[in-house]
C-alpha cells in the first residue's frame, strides 16, 4: 500500500471543538420554540444567535440594513447583551428548558460532505465571535435565520439614514438604539404599517408613509389608526431623492406618479426626516440552507427563494430543518408570531424524533452529561463569560461517535439536485406547487395589481418590488448606484460595464450589454456580478442582491423568479483574517502545506527534463535535483 | 430544445469545453478566419478557469516565453480588459521559502529575465503590510497576473467578435467516428458536424479521450481560495509566499489560495456544486502570517474549483495520430496564465498539425502509454480499494 498523498486534505479535516446533537441557528420566535421543544424532548440543544452584533459589522449593514443609524450605546457590548436578553423573554424560557444559549455568535459557514468533499468527520458549522472562530459539529440542524429587507436604491440612498425595516425594528426593539427621531416609511403593506406603528410606540415620529400603488396596501383599520396618530400617507408616490447637506439624510423628496408609474412634473413634496425606512418587503435568509445543499425554489408569495420542505419542516437534506421567516416570509407572520413559533415547534419535535430514532441511548447520555445547565446562563460568546462554554468543550470534542452522522451523509442530497438543466432554469422550480406547508399559509396580501405593473404572470411581493423599481428608475434615473460597496450604477449593470477604476473603454466593450449576453443563454446574476462587480463588496450583496436581480429581470424582459439563484459562499458574515484564524490547526496541516499540489515535476524547467523542484514544507528543505 | 436542434449547425472546428484553454484556442482560430464553435455545459469559464489565482508567471513551461510575450498585449488583442498587471514579489518567512522563491527567480533568469533579491527593509518598502516575520524576498521583473473572470469573458466575446460561436448550457454526450475520424459531436442540442474537434474539457477530458479509445490519465481534485474586502492598492499586486498563491486585485481585494487539495472522483459529466470546507480558516491564517498588516481585514467570500492533474503534473497538448482530426488538451491544473500561448498552440495544431512557436515534445501523450489504470492508487493520490486493485490492469 502506498503512503497516501501527505499534501492532500486526507486526514486533515478538523475535529469540531464541540459536537452537539442539535444546533438551532437564530433565537427569534421560531428558533427559540424549536430549541425549547427539542430540549423538552430530552435532546441536548445549542441555540446560537448573532445579536448583539458588533458595531463594525452593523456599520457594514450586516446582517441587516442599519443605515448608520445606531446610537453610541451599541459600542457597549455588555449593555447590548443585557438589552438583547431583556427584550427577548423567550431566551429565559429556553434557558430554563435546558437549552445552551449562546449570543453574539455569528454562524458564518456550514460544511457537509458531498460530491467534492469527503473528508469531514461530521457536518459542522463555522461559528465566530468578535475575537475568534471555532467549529461545531451537529447531528441535526434547524435553521431559523429570519429574513432580510429588500432594498431599492434612489438618488442619495448612500447617505446615513437609509435603513431596512428589519434593521430599524432591531434598533427600536432589541437594541433600543435607533439614532433617528423622524422617519419616512417606504411601503404601505403590512410591513410598512407595522414599522410605522413600532416607531410611534417607541417615541419616533413618522413623517410619512410613501406608497407607489394608488391605495394603501395593508390593513385598512391599521392604516386608519396610524392616520389618527397623525401619520400622513402619500399613496401614488415614489422617491425622487434623499437629500442632505452632509453625508446624512435630512429630507426625502417624493413625487406623485401617474397610473403607469411615471412621475408627474411639479407634483413633488419634500419631507424633512433623519431616516428613510425601506419596508417594501422581506426575503428569507437562506444562506446556510444553500450551503448545506438544501434544494431551494422560488415562491413569490413567500418572498423569493425558500427551502423545499416536507410537513415536518425538513429540507431535502434529511438532517436539516428550517423554521420561521427563513422558510418563507409573508405579511401574516408579522402580526402573528405564533405562525413562526408553530413552525419552530414542528421542526424541534421532528428533529428530536429523528434523533430519537437514530440513537435513543446516546441522546440520554448527552442530556445527563450536560450537568447544571443554568450555571452557564446566557453565555456571551463575545464577552467575559466565556468560561462555562469553554469548560464544556473538552467533554464533547472527542467523545462523540460520528456514526449516525456519516450514515445520514446530508451532503449527498445535493447530488440529486445536480441536473444541469434545472440548475440553469430555476424558473422550473418556481412553477411547482407551494407544497403542503406553504399551502396552509395565508395567501399573499401583495396580489393586488395596478396598471403600472410589469409583464408576467407572477403575483406577490416580487411583482410589487418590480413596480417600485420601475417608478424609482422613472423618477431617479439610471445613474443611481445599485451596488453601494462597489459603486455600480443601474446603467453600468445593464450595460455590463467594467468597473470604473479600470478606466476601460473600447468599441467592442461598448457594444456589450445584458442584451448581448442574453443571446448566449439565460441571464445569470453571478456572471453579471463577475463583470460589473455589483454584489461583490463587503456587505456581501445584502443591500443589492434583490435589486440587481430585479434590474436584470427587467433588462431581460422576464421576472425575478426566472433569474437563477446567485450563490452564497462562506463566510456568510464578513470576518477578519485573524478571527477566522484557527487555533486548533492540526499539526499535519502545517507540516505538509504547499501552495499547489506538490507534484515534484509540475514546475520543472522544460529545458531540463527530469529536474525536480520540490516545494518545501514546514519541515523539509527545498530539493532541486536531477533524477 | 427542439428549435435549438434545428437551428444549431456544426462548424469547421468544434471545441468541447468553454474553459480558458478552449476559449483561447477558439479565439485564435476565429481571428485566423476559421469557422469555430465552442460548446460548454454551463457558462463559459464557469469552473476553474474563472476561479483561480490569476497568476501569469510560468517561464519554466514550453509555453512560458510565449506567455510572457503575449500577456502585455492581451487587452489590446482582445479588445476587452483582462486586468493584466506585470511583475511579482515573493515574500519568504523561512529560509526554505526564500530558497524556493529564489529558485523560481533563477529559472526565469535562465530564460533571460531579470530579478532582484530583497532584504526585509526593501520588502517592507514595496509591501508595507509584510511583517517582521518576513526574512526577505524576490522582485521578479517578469511574470504577472490577471483577472480570470474578466479574461474568460474577454476571450469569449473576442471570439464572437471574430465570427466564432459559443453554445452554452450544451453538454456533449458522444463523439461520432467514421473512417478513422471524428465527424460530429453528439450534444444535448443535437448532433453537430465538425472537420476537427478540440477536446479541452478540464476534469472531463480523460472521459472524452476514453470515448476515442485513447488513454489520458487525469485525476480531478478540489482546491479552495479566499477573498478579502478591498484594501489600498500596493505598489505591486502580485505578492505571494508562505505557501499561498494569489494577488491583490486592481479593486484592492486580497485573493489567495493554497494548501491541501482533495482528490475526488467525478462521477459523470456533470460538475458538482462548488463546496468549501473549513480550510478557509487555514487559508486565512496563512494570509495573516504572510501579510500581518492586513490581519484585521475581513474575508468576504471563499470558493472552490475542480482541477485535473496528469501523473507528472505537466500538460498534454497533442494532435492525436488516430483519430487524426482531434486535438486533446489538458493543462494539468496550471492553465489560466498559460492560456494565451496554449490556445495559440492548439490553433496551430488544428491548422498546421504542429505548434510553430514551441516544441511540445515534453507534453506528448505517449509518456503515459505505460501508466497503469490504477496509477492514482499507486501514487497514493486516492486510497486503494481492494476491489479496484484486483481488476485494474496495466494499460500497456
Amino acid at each position: 500500500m502506498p503512503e497516501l498523498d501527505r499534501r492532500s486534505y486526507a486526514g486533515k479535516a478538523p475535529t469540531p471543538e464541540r459536537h452537539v446533537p442539535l444546533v438551532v441557528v437564530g433565537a427569534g420566535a421560531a428558533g427559540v420554540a424549536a430549541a425549547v421543544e427539542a430540549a423538552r424532548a430530552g435532546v441536548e440543544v445549542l441555540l446560537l444567535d448573532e445579536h448583539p452584533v458588533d458595531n463594525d459589522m452593523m456599520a457594514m449593514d450586516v446582517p441587516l440594513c442599519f443605515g448608520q443609524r445606531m446610537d453610541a450605546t451599541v459600542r457597549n457590548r455588555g449593555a447590548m447583551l443585557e438589552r438583547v436578553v431583556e427584550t427577548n423573554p423567550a431566551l429565559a424560557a429556553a434557558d430554563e428548558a435546558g437549552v445552551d444559549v449562546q449570543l453574539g455568535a455569528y454562524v458564518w459557514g456550514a460544511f457537509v460532505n458531498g460530491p467534492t468533499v469527503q473528508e469531514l468527520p461530521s457536518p459542522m458549522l463555522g461559528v465566530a465571535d468578535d475575537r475568534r472562530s471555532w467549529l461545531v459539529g451537529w447531528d441535526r440542524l434547524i435553521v431559523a435565520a429570519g429574513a432580510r429587507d429588500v432594498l431599492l436604491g434612489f438618488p442619495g440612498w448612500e447617505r446615513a439614514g437609509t435603513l431596512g425595516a428589519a434593521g430599524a425594528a432591531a434598533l427600536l426593539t432589541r437594541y433600543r438604539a435607533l439614532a433617528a427621531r423622524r422617519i419616512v416609511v417606504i411601503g404601505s403593506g403590512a410591513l410598512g404599517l407595522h414599522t410605522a406603528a413600532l416607531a410611534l410606540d417607541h417615541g419616533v415620529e413618522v413623517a410619512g408613509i410613501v406608497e407607489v400603488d394608488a391605495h394603501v396596501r395593508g390593513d385598512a383599520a391599521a392604516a386608519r389608526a396610524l392616520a389618527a396618530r397623525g401619520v400622513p400617507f402619500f399613496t401614488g408616490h415614489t422617491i425622487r431623492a434623499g437629500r442632505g447637506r452632509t453625508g446624512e439624510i435630512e429630507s426625502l423628496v417624493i413625487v406623485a406618479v401617474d397610473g403607469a408609474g411615471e412621475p408627474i412634473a411639479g407634483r413633488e413634496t419634500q419631507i424633512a426626516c433623519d431616516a428613510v425606512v425601506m419596508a417594501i418587503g422581506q426575503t428569507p435568509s437562506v444562506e446556510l440552507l444553500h450551503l448545506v445543499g438544501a434544494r431551494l425554489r422560488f415562491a413569490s408569495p413567500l418572498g423569493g427563494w425558500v427551502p423545499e420542505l416536507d410537513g415536518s419542516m425538513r429540507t431535502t437534506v434529511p438532517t436539516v430543518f428550517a423554521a420561521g421567516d427563513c422558510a418563507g416570509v409573508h405579511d401574516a407572520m408579522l402580526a402573528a408570531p405564533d405562525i413562526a413559533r408553530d413552525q419552530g415547534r414542528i421542526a424541534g419535535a421532528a428533529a428530536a424524533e429523528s434523533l430519537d430514532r437514530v440513537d435513543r441511548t446516546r441522546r440520554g447520555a448527552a442530556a445527563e452529561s450536560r450537568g447544571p445547565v443554568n450555571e452557564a446562563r446566557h453565555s456571551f460568546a463575545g464577552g467575559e463569560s466565556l468560561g462555562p462554554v469553554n469548560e464544556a468543550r473538552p467533554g464533547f470534542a472527542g467523545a462523540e461517535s460520528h456514526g449516525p452522522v456519516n450514515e445520514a451523509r446530508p451532503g449527498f442530497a445535493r447530488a440529486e439536485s445536480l441536473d444541469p438543466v434545472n440548475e440553469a432554469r430555476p424558473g422550473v422550480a418556481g412553477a411547482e406547487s407551494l407544497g403542503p406547508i406553504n399551502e396552509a399559509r395565508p395567501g399573499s396580501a401583495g396580489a393586488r395589481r395596478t396598471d403600472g405593473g410589469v409583464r408576467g404572470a407572477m403575483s406577490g411581493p416580487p411583482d410589487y418590488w418590480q413596480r417600485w423599481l420601475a417608478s424609482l428608475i422613472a423618477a431617479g434615473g439610471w445613474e443611481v448606484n445599485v451596488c453601494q460597496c462597489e459603486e455600480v450604477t443601474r446603467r453600468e449593470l445593464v450595460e455590463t460595464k467594467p468597473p470604473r477604476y479600470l478606466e476601460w473603454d473600447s468599441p467592442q466593450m461598448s457594444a456589450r450589454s445584458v442584451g448581448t449576453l442574453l443571446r448566449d443563454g439565460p441571464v445569470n446574476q453571478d456572471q453579471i456580478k463577475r463583470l460589473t462587480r455589483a454584489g461583490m463588496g463587503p456587505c456581501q450583496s445584502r443591500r443589492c442582491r434583490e435589486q440587481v436581480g430585479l434590474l436584470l429581470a427587467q433588462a431581460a424582459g422576464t421576472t425575478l423568479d426566472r433569474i437563477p439563484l446567485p450563490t452564497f459562499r462562506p463566510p456568510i458574515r464578513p470576518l477578519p483574517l485573524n478571527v477566522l484564524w484557527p487555533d486548533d490547526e492540526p499539526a499535519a496541516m502545517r507540516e505538509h502545506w504547499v501552495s499547489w499540489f506538490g507534484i515534484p515535476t509540475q514546475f520543472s524547467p522544460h529545458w531540463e527534463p527530469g529536474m525536480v523542484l520540490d516545494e518545501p514544507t514546514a519541515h523539509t528543505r527545498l530539493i532541486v535535483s536531477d533524477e | 430544445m427542439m428549435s435549438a436542434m434545428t437551428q444549431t449547425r456544426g462548424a469547421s472546428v468544434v471545441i468541447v469545453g468553454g474553459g480558458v484553454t478552449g476559449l483561447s484556442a477558439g479565439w485564435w482560430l476565429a481571428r485566423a478566419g476559421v469557422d469555430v464553435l465552442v460548446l460548454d455545459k454551463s457558462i463559459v469559464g464557469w469552473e476553474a478557469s474563472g476561479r483561480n489565482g490569476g497568476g501569469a508567471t510560468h517561464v519554466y513551461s514550453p509555453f512560458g516565453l510565449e506567455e510572457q510575450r503575449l500577456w502585455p498585449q492581451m487587452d489590446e488583442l482582445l479588445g476587452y480588459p483582462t486586468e493584466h498587471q506585470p511583475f511579482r514579489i515573493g515574500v519568504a518567512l523561512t529560509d526554505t521559502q526564500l530558497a524556493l522563491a529564489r529558485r523560481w527567480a533563477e529559472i526565469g533568469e535562465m530564460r533571460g529575465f531579470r530579478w532582484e533579491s530583497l532584504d526585509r527593509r526593501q520588502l517592507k518598502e514595496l509591501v508595507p503590510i509584510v511583517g517582521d516575520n518576513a526574512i526577505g524576498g524576490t522582485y521578479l521583473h517578469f511574470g504577472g497576473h490577471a483577472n480570470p473572470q474578466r479574461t474568460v469573458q474577454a476571450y469569449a466575446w473576442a471570439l464572437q467578435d471574430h465570427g466564432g460561436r459559443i453554445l452554452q448550457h450544451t453538454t456533449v454526450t458522444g463523439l461520432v467516428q467514421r473512417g478513422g475520424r471524428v465527424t460530429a459531436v453528439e450534444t444535448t442540442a443535437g448532433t453537430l458536424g465538425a472537420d476537427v474537434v478540440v477536446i479541452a474539457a478540464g476534469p472531463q477530458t480523460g472521459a472524452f479521450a476514453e470515448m476515442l479509445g485513447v488513454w489520458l490519465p487525469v485525476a480531478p481534485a478540489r482546491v479552495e481560495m479566499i477573498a478579502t474586502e478591498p484594501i489600498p492598492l500596493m505598489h505591486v499586486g502580485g505578492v505571494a509566499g508562505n505557501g499561498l498563491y494569489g494577488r491583490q486585485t486592481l479593486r484592492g481585494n486580497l485573493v489567495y489560495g493554497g494548501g491541501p487539495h482533495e482528490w475526488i472522483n467525478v462521477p459523470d459529466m456533470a460538475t458538482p456544486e462548488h463546496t468549501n470546507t473549513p480550510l478557509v480558516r487555514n487559508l486565512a491564517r496563512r494570509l495573516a502570517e504572510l501579510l500581518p498588516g492586513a490581519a484585521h481585514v475581513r474575508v468576504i467570500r471563499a470558493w472552490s474549483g475542480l482541477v485535473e492533474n496528469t501523473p507528472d503534473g505537466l500538460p498534454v497538448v497533442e494532435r492525436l495520430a488516430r483519430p487524426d482530426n482531434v486535438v486533446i488538451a489538458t493543462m494539468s491544473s496550471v492553465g489560466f496564465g498559460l492560456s494565451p500561448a496554449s490556445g495559440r498552440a492548439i490553433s496551430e495544431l488544428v491548422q498546421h498539425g504542429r505548434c510553430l512557436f514551441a516544441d511540445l515534445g515534453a507534453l506528448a501523450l505517449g509518456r503515459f502509454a505505460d501508466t497503469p489504470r490504477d496509477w492514482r492508487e499507486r501514487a497514493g493520490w486516492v486510497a486503494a480499494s481492494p476491489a479496484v486493485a484486483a481488476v485494474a490492469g496495466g494499460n500497456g
Side-chain angles (χ1 to χ4, degrees):
Chain A
M1 278 270 289
E3 185 190 34
L4 217 52
D5 180 5
R6 286 180 304 169
R7 287 157 181 192
S8 78
Y9 199 47
K12 292 179 193 160
T15 305
E17 68 179 34
R18 182 175 177 188
H19 189 96
V20 188
L22 173 62
V23 179
V24 180
V25 179
V32 171
V36 168
E37 189 74 17
R40 286 189 180 144
V43 177
E44 183 198 349
V45 185
L46 172 64
L47 174 61
L48 299 169
D49 194 277
E50 63 192 322
H51 296 285
V53 176
D54 164 64
N55 178 64
D56 291 345
M57 195 87 92
M58 294 179 105
M60 305 168 84
D61 289 330
V62 178
L64 301 170
C65 183
F66 299 107
Q68 307 284 346
R69 277 292 181 258
M70 309 80 76
D71 71 26
T73 59
V74 299
R75 294 175 186 278
N76 184 339
R77 306 278 290 136
M80 283 304 115
L81 176 63
E82 276 175 29
R83 285 186 193 174
V84 166
V85 172
E86 274 170 26
T87 54
N88 190 354
L91 289 177
D95 187 61
E96 276 158 28
V99 174
D100 181 359
V101 183
Q102 286 192 21
L103 304 177
Y106 310 104
V107 176
W108 54 268
F111 304 102
V112 295
N113 281 326
T116 68
V117 181
Q118 277 131 40
E119 288 291 329
L120 301 182
S122 76
M124 53 186 90
L125 292 177
V127 188
D129 58 26
D130 301 331
R131 293 179 308 182
R132 67 177 205 107
S133 68
W134 61 96
L135 301 167
V136 176
W138 43 270
D139 297 328
R140 295 292 179 276
L141 174 68
I142 298 177
V143 180
R148 279 186 302 111
D149 292 301
V150 172
L151 306 172
L152 297 178
F154 51 86
W157 78 298
E158 300 86 350
R159 294 173 187 282
T162 305
L163 293 81
L171 290 177
L172 282 166
T173 60
R174 250 184 303 206
Y175 291 81
R176 297 204 310 269
L178 180 69
R181 299 194 165 278
R182 188 176 152 85
I183 69 170
V184 175
V185 174
I186 309 303
S188 71
L191 183 64
L193 302 185
H194 175 83
T195 302
L198 197 65
L200 290 174
D201 292 346
H202 286 79
V204 176
E205 188 184 347
V206 178
I209 295 178
V210 182
E211 173 55 57
V212 72
D213 284 357
H215 310 284
V216 171
R217 291 169 56 82
D219 177 61
R224 275 196 303 275
L226 287 169
R229 295 170 81 177
V231 175
F233 282 81
F234 300 92
T235 54
H237 277 73
T238 192
I239 303 170
R240 181 77 88 186
R243 291 192 181 154
R245 285 157 298 179
T246 59
E248 315 247 329
I249 292 271
E250 292 177 0
S251 68
L252 189 71
V253 179
I254 60 172
V255 59
V257 294
D258 62 21
E262 291 290 322
I264 303 167
R267 296 278 306 280
E268 292 178 336
T269 307
Q270 183 159 354
I271 309 171
C273 61
D274 55 10
V276 177
V277 180
M278 298 292 298
I280 65 165
Q282 296 186 327
T283 191
S285 295
V286 293
E287 296 96 319
L288 286 173
L289 297 166
H290 177 74
L291 291 183
V292 297
R295 202 178 299 144
L296 305 176
R297 65 195 177 86
F298 195 95
S300 292
L302 298 175
W305 292 95
V306 295
E308 286 182 24
L309 299 174
D310 70 8
S312 64
M313 309 304 289
R314 188 193 293 255
T315 70
T316 55
V317 178
T319 53
V320 179
F321 300 76
D325 289 354
C326 76
V329 60
H330 56 81
D331 287 350
M333 295 177 84
L334 273 173
D338 279 347
I339 297 174
R341 275 189 210 110
D342 287 346
Q343 291 179 358
R345 278 190 208 108
I346 292 168
E353 198 207 321
S354 71
L355 281 167
D356 201 44
R357 272 204 306 273
V358 170
D359 190 343
R360 183 181 296 268
T361 52
R362 183 172 145 223
R363 192 201 69 204
E368 271 168 40
S369 75
R370 197 168 53 239
V373 181
N374 290 334
E375 245 172 58
R377 301 299 300 168
H378 304 289
S379 58
F380 181 30
E384 59 292 328
S385 62
L386 267 173
V389 184
N390 283 330
E391 271 164 33
R393 272 177 208 141
F396 294 102
E400 297 286 337
S401 136
H402 298 307
V405 179
N406 285 335
E407 237 172 69
R409 290 259 173 186
F412 282 105
R414 184 185 295 240
E416 294 161 18
S417 64
L418 277 177
D419 179 354
V421 177
N422 281 337
E423 236 182 358
R425 294 181 192 185
V428 174
E432 286 167 15
S433 92
L434 292 181
I437 294 290
N438 304 326
E439 266 166 22
R441 289 176 181 147
S444 152
R448 201 180 303 147
R449 308 285 300 269
T450 73
D451 291 335
V454 292
R455 307 156 301 281
M458 187 176 60
S459 69
D463 205 6
Y464 174 58
W465 305 338
Q466 196 82 63
R467 281 204 298 283
W468 259 113
L469 179 64
S471 80
L472 289 168
I473 293 172
W478 286 90
E479 311 305 328
V480 173
N481 281 337
V482 54
C483 171
Q484 286 189 24
C485 297
E486 299 294 314
E487 297 186 316
V488 180
T489 65
R490 292 169 181 154
R491 177 184 308 286
E492 288 165 333
L493 182 83
V494 299
E495 293 181 354
T496 60
K497 289 273 185 249
R500 275 174 247 161
Y501 57 82
L502 292 183
E503 296 176 359
W504 178 271
D505 199 17
S506 67
Q508 296 99 316
M509 192 72 244
S510 301
R512 296 288 173 177
S513 67
V514 169
T516 65
L517 277 175
L518 274 170
R519 293 184 211 139
D520 300 329
V523 65
N524 183 296
Q525 191 160 337
D526 283 328
Q527 186 181 24
I528 308 290
K529 185 166 86 177
R530 291 165 157 215
L531 298 172
T532 63
R533 295 196 61 82
M536 293 188 85
C539 89
Q540 301 180 314
S541 81
R542 282 178 179 81
R543 289 186 291 221
C544 71
R545 199 176 175 88
E546 286 69 37
Q547 55 180 327
V548 166
L550 290 163
L551 267 166
L552 292 179
Q554 193 203 44
T558 184
T559 45
L560 188 59
D561 57 316
R562 298 275 152 181
I563 307 293
L565 173 78
T567 58
F568 296 99
R569 312 259 181 74
I572 57 171
R573 297 292 180 272
L575 293 170
L577 292 168
N578 56 13
V579 168
L580 282 174
W581 177 300
D583 289 321
D584 51 355
E585 194 167 64
M589 178 73 79
R590 287 194 80 66
E591 192 154 335
H592 302 296
W593 185 288
V594 288
S595 63
W596 203 233
F597 282 78
I599 302 170
T601 46
Q602 184 144 49
F603 301 113
S604 299
H606 73 92
W607 55 93
E608 292 186 38
M611 176 188 271
V612 167
L613 184 69
D614 209 7
E615 185 175 343
T617 58
H619 298 288
T620 61
R621 295 170 57 82
L622 172 68
I623 298 167
V624 182
S625 65
D626 290 301
E627 282 183 337
Chain B
M1 202 52 82
M2 282 307 292
S3 63
M5 272 187 207
T6 52
Q7 285 168 12
T8 305
R9 59 184 169 82
S12 176
V13 180
V14 170
I15 298 177
V16 181
V20 74
T21 305
L23 289 169
S24 175
W27 168 67
W28 282 103
L29 286 163
R31 74 196 297 274
V34 176
D35 170 33
V36 62
L37 171 65
V38 176
L39 305 174
D40 196 275
K41 62 183 161 27
S42 68
I43 295 174
V44 290
W46 210 238
E47 303 302 332
S49 296
R51 48 186 98 231
N52 58 67
T57 315
H58 305 96
V59 293
Y60 62 85
S61 163
F63 299 125
L65 291 181
E66 187 68 357
E67 173 199 54
Q68 296 304 304
R69 189 182 74 83
L70 285 170
W71 266 114
Q73 312 173 46
M74 289 307 283
D75 283 9
E76 198 178 334
L77 290 174
L78 293 166
Y80 300 91
T82 65
E83 293 188 31
H84 175 259
Q85 295 291 297
F87 312 140
R88 301 289 316 193
I89 289 177
V91 178
L93 308 185
T94 65
D95 289 335
T96 50
Q97 288 182 7
L98 189 59
L100 179 71
R102 286 189 171 149
R103 183 65 194 155
W104 198 253
E106 285 160 6
I107 290 173
E109 191 174 345
M110 290 180 210
R111 298 327 260 172
F113 295 106
R114 193 163 67 84
W115 70 281
E116 292 170 66
S117 189
L118 302 174
D119 62 23
R120 183 188 290 149
R121 186 187 56 79
Q122 292 169 314
L123 194 55
K124 288 189 98 166
E125 276 172 19
L126 286 163
V127 188
I129 53 176
V130 298
D132 291 335
N133 57 342
I135 62 166
T138 55
Y139 190 151
L140 310 188
H141 294 266
F142 60 95
H145 56 98
N147 180 328
Q149 302 175 342
R150 223 168 274 297
T151 301
V152 288
Q153 192 67 58
Y155 280 127
W157 279 340
L159 178 163
Q160 291 176 326
D161 291 342
H162 286 290
R165 288 175 294 142
I166 294 171
L167 205 53
Q168 299 186 136
H169 307 293
T170 303
T171 302
V172 175
T173 54
L175 302 169
V176 181
Q177 293 184 75
R178 191 165 300 147
R181 295 170 69 83
V182 172
T183 55
V185 295
E186 290 167 344
T187 79
T188 49
T191 300
L192 308 172
D195 299 324
V196 180
V197 172
V198 175
I199 297 168
Q204 275 88 29
T205 305
F208 282 113
E210 192 94 53
M211 291 181 191
L212 302 173
V214 172
W215 169 231
L216 171 66
V218 287
R222 189 198 73 253
V223 292
E224 302 186 42
M225 296 190 75
I226 59 172
T228 72
E229 62 187 320
I231 61 172
L233 288 185
M234 299 188 284
H235 178 65
V236 170
V239 176
N242 195 32
L244 298 175
Y245 59 89
R247 65 196 187 106
Q248 181 182 39
T249 68
L250 282 178
R251 173 69 175 99
N253 312 76
L254 302 175
V255 180
Y256 286 88
H261 47 274
E262 184 169 342
W263 298 110
I264 60 162
N265 289 305
V266 178
D268 51 35
M269 290 295 175
T271 297
E273 299 241 343
H274 305 110
T275 313
N276 283 95
T277 70
L279 186 66
V280 297
R281 300 171 74 214
N282 309 93
L283 286 166
R285 176 173 177 165
R286 299 294 291 213
L287 184 52
E289 289 169 352
L290 175 70
L291 303 171
H296 64 288
V297 173
R298 291 169 188 271
V299 179
I300 58 176
R301 61 184 157 267
W303 63 91
S304 68
L306 292 190
V307 291
E308 77 281 8
N309 264 298
T310 63
D312 59 11
L314 295 174
V316 170
V317 178
E318 177 163 311
R319 180 153 182 163
L320 298 181
R322 187 174 173 84
D324 69 0
N325 64 335
V326 173
V327 175
I328 281 197
T330 164
M331 293 303 290
S332 193
S333 80
V334 188
F336 174 76
L338 292 167
S339 64
S342 63
R344 183 168 185 205
I346 292 166
S347 82
E348 291 177 355
L349 288 171
V350 168
Q351 297 177 85
H352 312 294
R354 64 191 184 88
C355 176
L356 306 179
F357 67 86
D359 176 3
L360 304 188
L363 311 184
L365 191 53
R367 69 188 193 274
F368 300 124
D370 296 328
T371 301
R373 289 278 164 168
D374 63 343
W375 65 280
R376 294 193 305 162
E377 288 80 1
R378 292 181 191 220
W381 287 8
V382 296
S385 102
V388 171
V391 296
N395 178 255

